[in-house]
Amino acid sequence: MVFGSSSLQVGLMVLRSSRRVLALLVTTALSLFPLSLWAQAAAPSPSQPTYTFRADTHIVLTDVTVTDAKGNPVHGLPQSAFRIFDNNKPQDIASFEEHATMPAAMTASEIASTSGVYSNDYLLHLPPVLNIIVIDIANLEMADQMYLNYELTKFLNEQPEGQPLAVYLRAGSGCFLVQNFTSDRKLLLTAVHKAIPRFPPLGREYLTDYDTLQQIAADLSQLPGRKNVLWFSGGSTLYALHNAEALQYDANWRGLYDELDQERIAIYPIDARGLMVIFKPAAILAVWRQHVAMNDVAQATGGRAFYDNNGLKEITEQFLNTDVSFYTLTYSPQSLRFDNKWHKIRVAVEGSYHLSYRSGYFADGSMRDKDKEEPPKARTRLLAGGEKLEETELRDQPIIFRASVLPASDPSVAKWEKPSGSLAPPPLKKGSVPFSVRYTVPLNALTVRAVDGKHQIVFAVAAIALNRDGSAVQQDAQQVKMVLKEEMFRRDPNLMVTLDQQLNLTKDDQFLNLGVWDSVSGRFGSVEVPLDVHKPVKH
């Protein structure tokens, strides 16, 4: 097999193992691959502070937002202006830091998306604060969705490009990603218009807030820094059932709040129904309970609830203009006992200010392991056949790669250089359109092993197509082994590996999630691609 001189020269052998087994392997390794595609473990960027915790004590980290009577952030407060209490006992502040810097626009990660090239390199330059918009239509009627669409469209048209945003949709299949982090307002507008309006899902009364928050926590759990979630909804679906209490599990909520706390995820529930005029007492009581639930989630996570307000654009605008301004405090509770009880946090500041911070934490046994943050150490892993592999901290960092996704008939595909290897195309099905996918992966992101005197790499690629409701409609996962040409490998070990894959997509496919997984080290990377599949042309 002969390849062009500008590409890596390798021999390619596709391991014909069962697709179902490999898909299960990849899904298990990624912990629900379709739901957590972009939640990669990323090394903190220079703009994101890191905090070192001692292994023999519990450190409580609290982000505090301070605003004045008009909702404007208050800057320049010294540590001496803050007092913090744990179960009403005053605590010594161990560290104190103010955050008040606007992040730069994420332009490096937006690689010529108009030409069908996508990348996850945004993980290398994350801002200190990540903002996520969740559009929850489970309890939001069509008219309210149209108003929310109008308000968000007006906001994105008027807001200059700056802070990156990600857009999620909660529909029939739970939460799924519509648009990954980007500063491009056009891409965000497209995502909002693709998400709403649409008919609310059937059986929505069984889509609980707990499930939604759990999916949000899973998706954001490995992204560093503070994460703010703007949760636009029509209120909780919990009270759509007569036996709503049956869906309340205090122990589950305790574990969920622990996870949101550990990952610094603040929830900002926003009632997208705006100011409502209600006459029936039962409906008034239901809405009041929904707002109480919104306040509970906000206070438990350090966010703030917004309701009875038609200015959805103004709420979003003010929030994004002020959310980068907050203070981070840490303290070590005195005489802490792991008694599985709720510990209330209270922060006081001199002056007439409004404070937002998480209301407390559960002192349970799970804190013991989560508090221990030890420096990464190299580990030796025993592979099949007795070979030993030295693992380093790079194992927890994502694979950064590019993916080119175009219809196979696009003239640009014919101009692509010869790849390092290619997978056999699947048989074309009626009503489908063949798409060409090219993965471009740095060789130094993969594990190179010496086998029988030759250098080789083993990795897997997976493609999952989702429909407009976020349901996986098809998937293709295959494992690949490449044997490297010695002269090329020795000349430049930092070459790019290119692999071509063909997919048969239909007009119902709205999103494509692509993953690259190093089968040896376990490192993983993923890219989310919006799709616009036209009907196949008849010849």
Side-chain angles (χ1 to χ4, degrees), residues 183-229:
S183 304
D184 190 329
R185 292 308 189 239
K186 293 181 179 179
L187 293 178
L188 293 169
L189 275 170
T190 301
V192 170
H193 296 163
K194 179 177 286 189
I196 52 175
R198 63 175 68 193
F199 290 108
L202 299 176
R204 52 185 174 172
E205 62 270 19
Y206 297 100
L207 296 175
T208 68
D209 296 344
Y210 174 82
D211 293 336
T212 300
L213 291 174
Q214 190 177 46
Q215 291 181 24
I216 291 173
D219 275 11
L220 306 180
S221 62
Q222 297 184 61
L223 290 173
R226 178 181 171 93
K227 281 81 69 176
N228 296 320
V229 176

Side-chain angles (χ1 to χ4, degrees), residues 91-109:
Q91 305 292 323
D92 295 329
I93 298 177
S95 66
F96 174 86
E97 184 176 3
E98 179 182 3
H99 308 271
T101 304
M102 287 290 292
M106 290 173 57
T107 55
S109 65

Side-chain angles (χ1 to χ4, degrees), residues 256-495:
L256 175 60
Y257 282 143
D258 277 348
E259 185 175 358
L260 293 170
D261 164 29
Q262 293 291 331
E263 303 302 339
R264 299 176 68 189
I265 300 174
I267 308 297
Y268 291 80
I270 303 173
D271 193 334
R273 296 170 296 184
L275 185 61
M276 294 176 287
V277 179
I278 306 174
F279 298 101
K280 295 182 178 180
I284 294 175
L285 180 60
V287 171
W288 176 79
R289 287 178 173 176
Q290 290 175 331
H291 291 169
V292 169
M294 294 168 67
N295 276 319
D296 288 344
V297 171
Q299 292 177 6
T301 61
R304 180 184 173 188
F306 299 88
Y307 44 81
D308 293 335
N309 192 328
N310 291 330
L312 302 181
K313 167 186 173 292
E314 288 72 20
I315 291 174
T316 309
E317 193 172 54
Q318 182 183 24
F319 174 81
L320 293 181
N321 289 337
T322 60
D323 76 305
V324 294
S325 300
F326 63 96
Y327 300 83
T328 298
L329 290 70
T330 65
Y331 70 94
S332 178
Q334 302 173 10
S335 304
L336 176 66
R337 296 178 57 191
F338 294 97
D339 51 10
N340 294 325
K341 294 182 179 180
W342 175 257
H343 282 237
K344 182 179 180 181
I345 297 175
R346 183 170 67 88
V347 180
V349 175
E350 300 174 358
S352 301
Y353 302 123
H354 175 79
L355 307 183
S356 295
Y357 54 90
R358 64 188 179 96
S359 57
Y361 62 92
F362 287 98
D364 56 11
S366 64
M367 296 167 54
R368 299 177 187 271
D369 296 328
K370 291 181 179 180
D371 294 334
K372 297 178 182 180
E373 184 173 307
E374 300 178 354
K377 298 179 181 179
R379 296 182 299 174
T380 301
R381 181 180 175 190
L382 186 63
L383 303 177
E387 181 186 356
K388 293 183 178 180
L389 174 67
E390 194 78 7
E391 293 184 343
T392 66
E393 65 274 14
L394 290 177
R395 183 182 186 276
D396 296 326
Q397 296 184 14
I399 294 177
I400 305 298
F401 71 100
R402 296 197 309 271
S404 301
V405 182
L406 290 171
S409 59
D410 192 295
S412 301
V413 175
K415 299 179 182 178
W416 287 355
E417 296 180 351
K418 286 188 176 181
S420 307
S422 59
L423 302 173
L428 185 62
K429 297 182 179 180
K430 184 179 180 180
S432 64
V433 178
F435 267 68
S436 295
V437 179
R438 167 162 293 188
Y439 301 86
T440 302
V441 187
L443 178 60
N444 56 19
L446 303 172
T447 302
V448 180
R449 300 166 56 195
V451 179
D452 297 331
K454 296 181 180 180
H455 290 92
Q456 72 174 27
I457 53 177
V458 179
F459 63 98
V461 294
I464 297 181
L466 308 178
N467 62 16
R468 69 190 306 267
D469 294 324
S471 299
V473 291
Q474 62 171 308
Q475 61 183 16
D476 184 14
Q478 298 191 46
Q479 192 173 25
V480 177
K481 178 188 293 184
M482 291 186 176
V483 179
L484 310 179
K485 293 289 186 178
E486 288 299 317
E487 61 273 16
M488 293 295 294
F489 174 71
R490 292 177 180 177
R491 185 185 309 167
D492 186 2
N494 298 320
L495 295 172

